[in-house]
C-alpha cells in the first residue's frame, strides 16, 4: 500500500515537473533576466570561438571553412615531431608555462591567505579598511602601467637616460653585466614576473579568504579561548578548518589555471628580446607569435604556423581540463568538497 502511494506521488511530481519549472521561472523572472548578459558573453566569447579549432585540422585559414581541405593530424604530427623546430619551441613553452604557474601557485596562493588572516586580526575597522584598500589598489592598475614601470627599472644605460634602479642594484652586486637590460637576461625574468604578479594580485585575492574568516562564528573562538588556546592554536584549530571548504575550491580553480598564463604581460615586459625566450616563452606567447598577430620581428611567418599554433593551444586546453577534473576528483574523495 505504501509503495503504491509513493509511486503515485512520484508520478504526480513527474507529470507536473515542467509546470513547476515554468512556475519558478515566471515567479523569479527578474533573476533570469539578469542571467541573459552572462549567457550572451559565454556564447559569443567562449563557445563561438570553438569553431576556430577546426582550422588546426585544415590546410588553409579563413572564415569559410568549407573552402579549405582537411589536413587531418598533419599539423599536430609536425608539432610533436622530434625533428621539427616547432616541437622544440612548443616543449620549451610548455615547460616555462608549467614552471611559472607552479611558482605562482607555490608563492602566490598562500600570500592572500596570510593577508586575510592579518586583516582579521586588526580590530580597528577604519585602519583595517585603509590597509585593505591599499592592498587592493595594485589590482586595478593597468598592466601597461605596471610593465612600463618595471621596464624603466630594468632599463640599461642609454644616451637619453641612466640605467634603471634595479639594473644599477644588480650591476653593483655583480649579478648583471654592465650595459645589459635586466629583462634580456633569462635568469631574472621569472623572479620579476612572480614578484610583480604577487604584488598585483595578492590583496585582491584575499577578499574571498577574508569573507571566509568573517563567516566563522565568534563562539568558536570564545570556546577555544576558554579551553586555553593561544592565538596560533585558534588559527590552527578554528580559523583554518573553517576556511577549508573555501581553500579547497580556490585551490581546484587555481590548479585549472596552471597552464593558463596570459601573453599580454609577458609581451609587454619582454617585447622582442629573444634572449629571454628561454624562460619567458609560454604557450600563449608562442601561439600569439605563430598566429602572425605580433606584427614585429618576433612573428613566425611560415606555412602552417597558424594551424600549428591552434593545435598547441588546443593541447594546452585539454591538459588544463584534465588537471581540473583530476584535482576535483581527488578533493571529492579526500575531503568530500568539490566543484561538481
Amino acid at each position: 500500500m505504501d509503495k503504491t502511494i509513493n509511486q503515485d506521488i512520484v508520478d504526480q511530481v513527474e507529470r507536473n515537473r515542467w509546470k513547476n519549472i515554468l512556475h519558478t521561472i515566471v515567479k523569479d523572472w527578474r533573476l533570469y533576466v539578469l542571467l541573459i548578459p552572462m549567457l550572451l558573453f559565454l556564447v559569443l566569447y567562449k563557445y563561438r570561438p570553438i569553431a576556430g579549432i577546426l582550422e588546426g585540422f585544415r590546410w588553409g585559414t579563413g572564415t569559410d571553412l568549407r573552402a579549405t581541405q582537411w589536413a587531418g593530424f598533419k599539423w599536430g604530427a609536425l608539432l610533436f615531431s622530434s625533428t621539427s623546430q616547432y616541437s622544440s619551441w612548443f616543449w620549451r613553452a610548455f615547460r616555462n608555462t608549467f614552471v611559472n604557474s607552479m611558482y605562482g601557485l607555490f608563492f602566490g596562493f598562500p600570500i592572500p591567505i596570510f593577508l586575510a588572516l592579518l586583516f582579521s586580526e586588526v580590530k580597528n575597522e577604519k585602519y583595517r579598511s585603509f590597509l585593505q584598500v591599499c592592498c587592493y589598489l595594485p589590482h586595478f592598475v593597468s598592466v601597461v602601467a605596471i610593465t612600463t614601470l618595471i621596464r624603466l627599472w630594468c632599463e640599461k644605460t642609454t644616451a637619453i637616460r641612466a640605467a634603471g634602479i634595479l639594473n644599477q642594484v644588480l650591476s653593483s652586486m655583480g649579478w648583471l653585466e654592465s650595459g645589459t637590460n635586466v629583462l634580456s637576461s633569462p635568469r631574472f625574468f621569472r623572479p620579476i614576473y612572480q614578484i610583480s604578479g604577487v604584488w598585483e594580485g595578492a590583496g585582491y585575492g584575499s577578499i574571498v579568504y577574508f569573507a571566509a574568516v568573517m563567516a566563522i562564528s565568534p563562539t568558536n573562538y570564545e570556546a577555544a579561548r576558554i579551553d586555553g588556546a593561544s592565538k596560533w592554536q585558534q588559527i590552527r584549530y578554528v580559523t583554518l578548518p573553517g576556511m577549508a571548504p573555501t581553500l579547497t575550491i580556490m585551490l581546484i580553480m587555481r590548479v585549472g589555471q596552471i597552464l593558463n598564463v596570459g601573453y599580454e604581460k609577458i609581451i609587454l615586459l619582454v617585447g622582442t628580446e629573444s634572449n629571454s625566450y628561454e624562460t619567458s616563452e609560454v604557450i600563449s606567447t608562442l601561439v600569439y607569435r605563430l598566429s602572425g598577430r605580433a606584427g614585429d620581428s618576433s612573428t613566425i611567418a611560415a606555412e602552417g604556423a597558424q594551424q600549428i599554433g591552434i593545435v598547441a593551444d588546443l593541447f594546452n586546453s585539454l591538459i588544463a581540463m584534465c588537471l581540473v577534473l583530476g584535482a576535483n576528483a581527488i578533493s571529492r574523495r579526500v575531503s568530500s568538497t568539490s566543484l561538481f
Side-chain angles (χ1 to χ4, degrees):
M1 187 67 177
D2 293 338
K3 292 183 179 179
T4 304
I5 295 175
N6 292 335
Q7 186 62 38
D8 292 339
I9 294 174
V10 171
D11 293 340
Q12 184 177 2
V13 170
E14 289 294 330
R15 286 195 301 269
N16 297 330
R17 179 182 179 185
W18 292 106
K19 184 184 296 184
N20 295 333
I21 293 175
L22 181 61
H23 175 72
T24 303
I25 294 175
V26 172
K27 183 179 69 174
D28 299 326
W29 66 272
R30 297 172 184 82
L31 297 177
Y32 291 96
V33 169
L34 293 175
L35 286 174
I36 293 177
M38 184 192 69
L39 294 176
L40 290 176
F41 174 81
L42 288 175
V43 171
L44 295 177
Y45 293 97
K46 298 299 181 181
Y47 288 99
R48 184 172 174 269
I50 292 178
I53 294 176
L54 295 177
E55 293 186 4
F57 303 94
R58 293 178 177 269
W59 283 101
T61 59
T63 56
D64 188 6
L65 296 177
R66 294 172 297 181
T68 58
Q69 295 181 349
W70 285 103
F73 294 97
K74 171 183 172 59
W75 307 119
L78 185 61
L79 177 65
F80 296 108
S81 174
S82 59
T83 59
S84 172
Q85 181 67 36
Y86 294 107
S87 178
S88 61
W89 290 341
F90 172 75
W91 290 116
R92 180 185 64 183
F94 186 85
R95 182 185 69 248
N96 290 335
T97 303
F98 187 80
V99 171
N100 286 332
S101 296
M102 289 305 296
Y103 280 147
L105 180 64
F106 185 77
F107 295 105
F109 185 75
I111 292 179
I113 301 173
F114 295 151
L115 279 177
L117 295 175
L118 291 175
F119 291 151
S120 65
E121 295 300 324
V122 179
K123 304 307 179 184
N124 190 314
E125 293 187 3
K126 291 184 179 180
Y127 181 57
R128 182 174 64 194
S129 300
F130 174 76
L131 291 177
Q132 287 177 311
V133 170
C134 291
C135 292
Y136 299 161
L137 280 178
H139 177 78
F140 299 99
V141 178
S142 171
V143 178
V144 177
I146 293 175
T147 53
T148 301
L149 183 62
I150 295 174
R151 287 182 67 90
L152 290 174
W153 287 350
C154 299
E155 194 176 36
K156 63 182 179 180
T157 303
T158 62
I160 301 176
R161 62 173 63 91
I165 182 172
L166 186 58
N167 193 307
Q168 296 178 20
V169 171
L170 294 177
S171 298
S172 63
M173 298 177 68
W175 293 353
L176 183 70
E177 294 182 4
S178 179
T180 304
N181 191 316
V182 178
L183 292 174
S184 65
S185 178
R187 61 184 294 198
F188 293 116
F189 173 79
R190 285 173 182 164
I192 292 174
Y193 182 82
Q194 297 300 334
I195 292 173
S196 62
V198 170
W199 171 76
E200 183 182 359
Y204 188 78
S206 67
I207 294 177
V208 176
Y209 305 113
F210 181 71
V213 174
M214 291 294 100
I216 300 174
S217 176
T219 56
N220 295 339
Y221 293 101
E222 294 176 2
R225 284 194 295 268
I226 292 174
D227 290 338
S230 63
K231 180 59 66 177
W232 288 109
Q233 290 174 330
Q234 293 176 35
I235 293 176
R236 179 180 177 182
Y237 295 107
V238 179
T239 306
L240 292 180
M243 296 174 62
T246 303
L247 294 176
T248 303
I249 297 299
M250 296 302 293
L251 181 59
I252 294 174
M253 296 176 64
R254 190 64 181 265
V255 168
Q257 297 175 353
I258 282 181
L259 297 179
N260 185 23
V261 179
Y263 64 88
E264 298 91 350
K265 183 178 179 180
I266 295 177
I267 289 179
L268 289 171
L269 280 175
V270 177
T272 58
E273 294 282 353
S274 59
N275 294 333
S276 63
Y277 283 174
E278 185 63 31
T279 54
S280 66
E281 182 83 291
V282 295
I283 291 180
S284 59
T285 59
L286 178 62
V287 172
Y288 184 75
R289 295 195 299 117
L290 288 170
S291 67
R293 292 176 294 174
D296 51 33
S297 59
S298 65
T299 302
I300 300 174
E303 181 185 3
Q306 295 186 30
Q307 291 89 336
I308 291 175
I310 292 172
V311 174
D313 198 23
L314 176 61
F315 178 78
N316 181 61
S317 300
L318 291 176
I319 297 298
M321 183 186 69
C322 293
L323 288 174
V324 172
L325 295 177
N328 187 75
I330 294 173
S331 175
R332 185 173 58 247
R333 184 178 297 272
V334 172
S335 64
S336 69
T337 300
S338 61
L339 282 173
F340 48 85

